[in-house]
Amino acid sequence: MSGSAKTTEGETVVVLDFGSQYTQLIVRRVRQLGVYCQILPHTASCEELLSLRPKALILSGSPGSAVGPAAADMDAAILESGLPVLGICYGMQILARMRGGVVQKARAREYGPAVLKVDGPNELFEGCGRTLDVWMSHGDFVAELPQGFSGLAHTSGTPIAAMGQAAAKQYGVQFHPEVEHTQKGIKILGNFLFRIAGCRGGWSMKDFIEDAVDQIRTQVGDQRVLCALSGGVDSAVTAALLNRAIGDRTVCVFVDNGLLRLGEAEQIRRLFREEHPLSFRSLDAADKFLLALRGVEDPEKKRKIIGEMFVQVFREEAARIGGAKFLAQGTLYPDVIESHSASGGPSATIKTHHNVGGLPDDLEFELVEPLRGLFKDEVRLLGRQLGLPEQMLKRQPFPGPGLAVRIIGAVTEDRLRVVREADARVQEELRDYDGFSDIWQSFAVLLPVKTVGGMGDDRTYATVVAVPVAMSTAAMTADWARLPPEFLERLSSRIINEVKGVNRVVYDISPKPPSTIEWE
Ligand code: XMP
């Protein structure tokens, strides 16, 4: 998806990413305010940035220090371009430094809640009152303002907690307005966008649909598109968008790779045959995938193999239907970011998501990825607007490499059986449990260890299953669900008693970061 939304006449805001874990959250907040927003790495040139015709620029935070020669910086010409700028945390420090101010290391890191006192009336804090609870996370601070800037707010530990130069429309805040813990954070961001940068807002999913349909039509012309259907939300929404754009020149292909959950292949076939009776094709390629994965333990190798196998199957299918130049898939924004490290920015590549990184270089298909700029909840919203059934939209995210990345170590038929049966118990138990509404994902992971147990009079030496139940809104961060002990007890007892080959269950109590949701 390009950055400019036709219906809002190119009203785009760019977040220059210095590697903060909150960068994506800033993007989401700006979009929630009705302004299309996208990320560029901090290394982007002024020319590259201006080619997106942005209305404003936000500088993100960073895990690094703004003090010293190694500090990540940006093209200085950007700050001379006349664009309204809001620097957040590190973004404020780098703005101060590049404009001639002084940034220093603080004696103690300020982390967590702080009380912000607004020093006087100004546009950034308009309508926010004089005292606000804000969220801080920094070790450096702006010790001297750049020329022409004024201090706008302070906390007890940070004398310059916000700064601005109204004439240049350049502002900085040391705290994080994008996180929920900051009172009036959305109001502050809104003030920057609408009062200072002159955005009009009004970007919505309807605009997105119109733009995406236009772009798909332009990209594919009168050609046919193979649409890779996994049965998950993303590929279903991609298929619906394609159908709207090019009708039955969309050929939806569902590949049963043998790595799906219990009963999933049948469920997908049933749902899609009803929804798209003309263009739905279902292929059984389980043997091929399992053969290719035999003995492979390394998670990244598994992903690559699965990516390659998918492409092989799609090539064969394209040949069978008389050729297709395009392959569509439901790649999301977080997939793009996590596979290639924040738009090429300084945060590390964590794992290669099959949708993006697992594809071979000699793909031969041109990719159509209309959801590349969206987050999961935006995709659900889009699906709803396109009229997809709730049953389809509410499905939990499921990784492209499927159960292969939930079996730690080699994938075998028997290990697939165990993880599938254990996963089914997790789903059944949670379906009947309404204690948490924001469970993002719940599943079973098969560990490559055996432990000793006793069943009846017999000693057992069997497998361990781990159960993660993650709460999240966009999977960029996640926390584990505080499920009650009675619930966990019942789940563990069901898995141990009902799934042959398991004698121990452990519950995953790791947040993301530093962990990830999937174990591989
Ligand atoms: P992690 O494990 O990185 O996962 O915290 C974040 C979200 O992405 C899903 N995920 C994947 N999706 N291919 C995908 O299509 C993959 O290889 C992959 N790995 C993780 C994961 O299920 C979670 O929702």
Side-chain angles (χ1 to χ4, degrees), residues 314-358:
F314 287 128
R315 269 188 204 137
E316 287 167 13
E317 194 56 18
R320 204 166 299 139
I321 62 166
K325 184 175 162 207
F326 294 95
L327 178 67
Q329 57 173 3
T331 309
L332 299 193
Y333 206 28
D335 302 336
V336 177
I337 293 163
E338 291 201 350
S339 282
H340 294 302
S341 76
S343 302
S347 63
T349 298
I350 296 173
K351 55 182 86 161
T352 323
H353 283 191
H354 138 71
N355 273 339
V356 187

Side-chain angles (χ1 to χ4, degrees), residues 303 338 351 353-355 399-401 440-441 512 516-518:
R303 280 191 161 81
E338 291 201 350
K351 55 182 86 161
H353 283 191
H354 138 71
N355 273 339
W440 172 264
Q441 255 171 326
K512 171 184 179 172
T516 54
I517 299 173
E518 305 287 348

Side-chain angles (χ1 to χ4, degrees), residues 233-273:
V233 181
D234 313 335
S235 59
V237 173
T238 304
L241 255 184
L242 279 162
N243 263 308
R244 182 162 296 193
I246 58 168
D248 56 16
R249 279 188 286 124
T250 313
V251 181
C252 295
V253 181
F254 164 64
V255 180
D256 181 354
N257 57 8
L259 304 168
L260 300 173
R261 292 163 288 189
L262 199 67
E264 193 169 18
E266 297 73 31
Q267 198 192 358
I268 292 167
R269 284 192 200 106
R270 209 173 40 241
L271 268 172
F272 280 91
R273 279 218 173 95

Side-chain angles (χ1 to χ4, degrees), residues 147-218:
Q147 209 175 8
F149 279 72
S150 325
L152 305 180
H154 65 275
T155 67
S156 60
T158 309
I160 305 170
M163 63 177 199
Q165 188 187 24
K169 301 189 176 190
Q170 296 190 345
Y171 290 83
V173 288
Q174 186 53 72
F175 59 92
H176 287 272
E178 71 279 18
V179 307
E180 271 169 26
H181 316 283
T182 292
Q183 229 180 351
K184 306 270 186 197
I186 295 284
K187 176 88 184 135
I188 295 166
L189 286 174
N191 283 345
F192 171 68
L193 296 174
F194 304 118
R195 286 177 177 274
I196 295 166
C199 292
R200 290 183 317 282
W203 180 83
S204 75
M205 268 309 153
K206 279 212 184 73
D207 302 327
F208 178 86
I209 294 175
E210 271 186 47
D211 286 346
V213 162
D214 277 1
Q215 281 173 23
I216 292 169
R217 286 183 184 150
T218 310

